[in-house]
Amino acid sequence: MCGIFAYTGKGTKDAGKVLLHGLTALEYRGYDSAGIYTPESGSIKTPGAVAELKKKVPKKFNGKSGIAHLRWATHGEPTKINAHPHSDCQGELWIVHNGIIENFKELKEKLVKAGHTFVSESDTEVFAHLVEEHMKKTKDFEKAAIAALKEIRGTYGMAIQYKGEPEKLIAARMGSPIVLGVGKHEHFIASDASPILPHTKKVVFLEDGEIAVITPETHTVYKLEGSRVTRAPEEIEWSAEEAQKGGHEHFMLKEIMEGAEVIENTLRGRLIPEKGLAKLGGLEGVTKKLAKIDRIIIVACGTAYYAGLVGEYMLEEHAGIPVEVELGSEFRYRKPVINEKTIVLAISQSGETLDTLEAIREGKRRGALTLGIVNTVGSTIARETDAGVYNHAGPEIGVASTKAFVSQLVALALLTIFLGRQRGMSLVEGKKIAKELKALPAKVQKIFEEKGAIEKLARKYSGARDFLFIGRKYSYPVAFEGALKLKEISYIHAEGCGAGEMKHGPLAMIDEKFPTVALAPSDSVYEKVFSAIQQIKARRGPVIALATEGNREVEKIADDVLYIPETLEMLTPILSVIPLQLFAYYFARNKGYNVDRPRNLAKSVTVE
Ligand code: G6P
């Protein structure tokens, strides 16, 4: 996720100021680098957040129109050179882009052969050169932009400006949001409405496959294939803050609701379903070494640690590699037995968690191959590991991790296919997992239809002071993650427990005031979990069961049931965690707590 903002006006407002102000509203969307361009004053780019850019932009940065960008890095390190806006060879065409151009490598090769010179590693720069190439033939900015858009594959929300026609800006949307702002003698393009709202409340939301052309006085929307779209502007009454949250009350809810998109983004370009293979570019350099390793130690903290536990089950069952999972804080002070056939794999959203980082450093000192599953491009863990897989989940603002967990599980499933197919995993099995991964976004979307029911349930149980979460096999780590979500944002006692372990202690706590959330999908251990539910009911404990659609049996015994669609056993956690995230969210929101910033906790823990 990046933030883009573009402006064209009659000159009554200074475009430089309008753009910088707008970027501040978009700041939550990316803080790796920032950049601005106006045809009159040129471009300024810098690593870091908007504040850095503000320091570098001189007072006299004039212009009537321009484009600006905040980057959340995906392709290429977060350096000045990779910062947007990107331009063509002549510095005449300028682009800001949110998304990923999947076929940028092929296009780049073609363009290099045609004589184009590239300065960055960014996929976006390719697009600027592609428009330039088409301009040579068509001599028409709009036609060239459309021809270039037809050649790219991937996702984009972008704004394009041509120095030769400075008043005109082109916007395009495919998978990444674009909002047009319709003002008096001025128009805007942005990733969300927040930077537009101080100027106008009239907006037009673009849909996938649409492009828009704006000038100070006009805006025109087309479909990429050419037909005209007539859509009257809507008036929005959101505050700028609500607009940042996509109209949701909190970032946490917005991030949970991004689940389906996050799965798509983590998978994008990485599956070859017909061959049952995973293509992980970040591991290409170590493919041979990976074929020889005989053990994996996953190190992580918090939510990422629970993702690691799911990964252990996936990798052992389907790739046949022995796996251990350790908390970073434990691993770094032990004397772990490691050799050059060991992988130490860090899982970290921020890529900065000190205990995880130190665990990686310890692994390296002891000769292991170090890998990372990291969301933040260019973070310390990403830089210090030998190779890795980026999540591409976009920035996560809510302190309680939600979409990053979903993405970590998807990345672990990809790694399981990758390593499994190097070993004993059959083509049939590889294909089966790949096919089911592709089906997940639609299934996640189906869970969101139950949002209202989950909200009601959170209200029904709002008086409880304690919760037990139970699960077995793949649902065991999810039970711990469900409990962690609840305690970290609603400050009540919640504990996770293996459904089989309950009888060794936790069952003693159960009475009619102590509810249990039981993860009971229809998998290989369903009957065992069902009997754990019976044991709880025998002690009059209330039970909320999470079951697979179509299971009527569990309704007879549990007090309440939430359903998830059916999937492969190893992928069930990707679905089952979502109702638990929503339950925790509504539970805490009902209490009136600041769910995005729970007391005493931090998003990135860079201290011991
Ligand atoms: C903090 C956050 C958690 C996160 C954990 C690990 O405790 O509040 O949400 O799971 O750190 O962070 P990482 O960035 O390494 O995934």
Side-chain angles (χ1 to χ4, degrees):
M1 180 152 83
C2 299
I4 71 166
F5 188 41
Y7 172 74
T8 179
K10 282 299 222 190
T12 44
K13 289 180 190 165
D14 188 350
K17 283 205 187 86
V18 172
L19 291 171
L20 283 180
H21 198 254
L23 284 188
T24 311
L26 286 174
E27 193 164 20
Y28 79 98
R29 299 182 71 91
Y31 24 83
D32 287 334
S33 65
I36 185 170
Y37 166 80
T38 70
E40 291 87 343
S41 303
S43 83
I44 296 183
K45 313 185 201 189
T46 175
V50 191
E52 290 306 306
L53 185 66
K54 281 186 176 162
K55 280 186 214 155
K56 297 206 166 107
V57 174
K59 276 218 169 82
K60 270 197 166 304
F61 192 79
N62 300 326
K64 292 181 186 170
S65 63
I67 58 179
H69 189 267
L70 285 174
R71 180 160 185 247
W72 171 262
T74 52
H75 283 91
E77 296 293 304
T79 55
K80 180 176 170 184
I81 207 85
N82 285 331
H84 298 217
H86 284 286
S87 82
D88 64 342
C89 298
Q90 307 302 325
E92 299 219 311
L93 284 153
W94 291 82
I95 320 286
V96 284
H97 168 216
N98 169 24
I100 298 166
I101 298 174
E102 282 169 29
N103 56 339
F104 83 100
K105 281 197 185 126
E106 302 138 58
L107 292 170
K108 191 167 178 174
E109 268 172 35
K110 251 172 50 187
L111 289 161
V112 168
K113 275 192 197 136
H116 291 258
T117 315
F118 285 81
V119 295
S120 78
E121 303 157 33
S122 162
D123 54 324
T124 303
E125 191 190 349
V126 172
F127 188 76
H129 291 272
L130 198 57
V131 181
E132 181 184 24
E133 190 62 23
H134 284 287
M135 282 282 268
K136 284 186 201 157
K137 294 173 221 153
T138 63
K139 313 273 182 249
D140 181 293
F141 174 38
E142 269 179 65
K143 282 188 187 149
I146 291 168
L149 284 166
K150 285 183 175 163
E151 275 193 70
I152 58 171
R153 234 183 22 243
T155 56
Y156 49 82
M158 57 166 86
I160 317 161
Q161 185 160 33
Y162 170 46
K163 207 174 173 183
E165 289 177 72
E167 285 205 330
K168 183 193 276 185
L169 292 165
I170 298 179
R173 175 189 164 138
M174 183 66 77
S176 305
I178 287 285
V179 191
L180 305 182
V182 181
K184 229 182 185 182
H185 311 303
E186 57 184 6
H187 278 82
F188 306 81
I189 299 165
S191 297
D192 68 45
S194 58
I196 297 173
L197 289 172
H199 306 277
T200 173
K201 296 213 174 304
K202 278 193 189 164
V203 298
V204 176
F205 291 94
L206 284 202
E207 286 177 9
D208 280 351
E210 289 179 352
I211 63 159
V213 181
I214 62 165
T215 66
E217 305 294 351
T218 59
H219 71 275
T220 328
V221 181
Y222 298 95
K223 286 211 182 302
L224 195 50
E225 71 269 17
S227 60
R228 184 81 185 264
V229 176
T230 26
R231 189 173 303 135
E234 12 184 324
E235 292 256 343
I236 53 167
E237 293 306 327
W238 296 343
S239 66
E241 203 190 312
E242 279 166 337
Q244 290 174 342
K245 294 170 188 158
H248 295 295
E249 208 179 321
H250 295 99
F251 279 112
M252 182 178 174
L253 183 58
K254 175 180 179 252
E255 286 159 5
I256 297 171
M257 300 301 288
E258 278 170 18
E261 194 185 322
V262 161
I263 297 173
E264 272 166 13
N265 286 341
T266 308
L267 290 177
R268 181 161 289 111
R270 289 169 163 175
L271 274 181
I272 314 173
E274 66 286 359
K275 292 189 181 156
L277 289 174
K279 202 173 116 214
L280 296 168
L283 300 184
E284 266 163 23
V286 293
T287 310
K288 278 196 190 129
K289 275 192 186 163
L290 290 176
K292 289 191 195 125
I293 62 101
D294 61 12
R295 180 167 164 243
I296 300 176
I297 303 174
I298 297 178
V299 289
C301 299
T303 290
Y305 171 75
Y306 296 130
L309 289 178
V310 177
E312 173 185 10
Y313 286 16
M314 288 181 181
L315 286 157
E316 292 213 337
E317 185 169 356
H318 296 277
I321 308 170
V323 180
E324 293 146 58
V325 192
E326 282 216 42
L327 292 165
S329 50
E330 287 299 316
F331 182 86
R332 56 183 292 200
Y333 290 117
R334 294 200 305 109
K335 292 228 173 330
V337 180
I338 288 173
N339 60 37
E340 69 289 350
K341 285 188 167 180
T342 311
I343 290 177
V344 177
L345 165 64
I347 305 179
S348 175
Q349 187 286 126
S350 62
E352 301 295 346
T353 303
L354 188 70
D355 285 327
T356 310
L357 174 64
E358 287 300 336
I360 277 292
R361 287 177 176 160
E362 180 62 21
K364 218 172 206 178
R365 274 194 291 271
R366 288 170 182 268
L369 175 70
T370 56
L371 302 182
I373 293 179
V374 174
N375 192 32
T376 309
V377 174
S379 56
T380 314
I381 294 176
R383 279 186 278 111
E384 293 199 13
T385 41
D386 297 309
V389 180
Y390 279 125
N391 288 98
H392 296 161
E396 194 177 58
I397 309 294
V399 166
S401 184
T402 52
K403 66 173 179 176
F405 181 76
V406 169
S407 170
Q408 284 155 356
L409 298 183
V410 174
L412 284 161
L414 285 169
L415 187 66
T416 302
I417 302 179
F418 187 92
L419 295 177
R421 291 302 312 278
Q422 279 189 332
R423 295 167 172 78
M425 185 189 287
S426 67
L427 169 67
V428 174
E429 195 178 357
K431 275 168 128 176
K432 196 165 85 183
I433 302 172
K435 186 171 164 229
E436 202 43 45
L437 275 168
K438 286 227 143 228
L440 285 177
K443 294 184 181 183
V444 167
Q445 220 56 56
K446 219 167 158 213
I447 297 174
F448 292 145
E449 289 168 17
E450 282 211 59
K451 210 168 115 223
I454 300 171
E455 185 177 4
K456 255 195 217 149
L457 210 60
R459 227 175 294 132
K460 176 175 168 186
Y461 287 87
S462 63
R465 283 293 309 153
D466 308 275
F467 271 94
L468 188 65
F469 284 71
I470 61 166
R472 199 154 175 178
K473 204 171 169 187
Y474 284 98
S475 298
Y476 167 72
V478 186
F480 281 81
E481 173 59 9
L484 176 64
K485 283 292 86 79
L486 193 58
K487 64 184 145 194
E488 68 185 325
I489 58 171
S490 60
Y491 321 142
I492 67 160
H493 166 232
E495 63 182 82
C497 173
E501 268 299 290
M502 219 181 47
K503 55 189 175 290
H504 298 293
L507 193 57
M509 300 188 289
I510 295 299
D511 61 20
E512 58 278 4
K513 288 201 189 108
F514 200 134
T516 299
V517 177
L519 287 129
S522 303
D523 58 11
S524 60
V525 288
Y526 166 72
E527 275 157 29
K528 315 270 176 211
V529 178
F530 188 82
S531 89
I533 297 176
Q534 283 174 319
Q535 289 166 25
I536 294 167
K537 286 314 302 172
R539 274 93 189 161
R540 298 189 308 281
V543 171
I544 304 170
L546 195 107
T548 305
E549 275 171 3
N551 178 352
R552 296 275 90 92
E553 178 189 46
V554 77
E555 283 174 7
K556 292 184 198 137
I557 178 166
D559 299 78
D560 295 282
V561 185
L562 293 171
Y563 285 103
I564 54 165
E566 193 180 356
T567 184
L568 293 182
E569 185 171 70
M570 69 172 262
L571 302 180
T572 307
I574 300 172
L575 299 181
S576 59
V577 75
I578 290 175
L580 304 192
Q581 292 172 344
L582 285 168
F583 182 78
Y585 169 75
Y586 287 119
F587 196 91
R589 198 208 54 180
N590 287 344
K591 291 193 178 294
Y593 294 143
N594 182 350
V595 292
D596 285 334
R597 285 172 190 255
R599 69 185 186 199
N600 310 338
L601 301 179
K603 183 73 191 151
S604 175
V605 184
T606 51
V607 291
E608 258 200 88

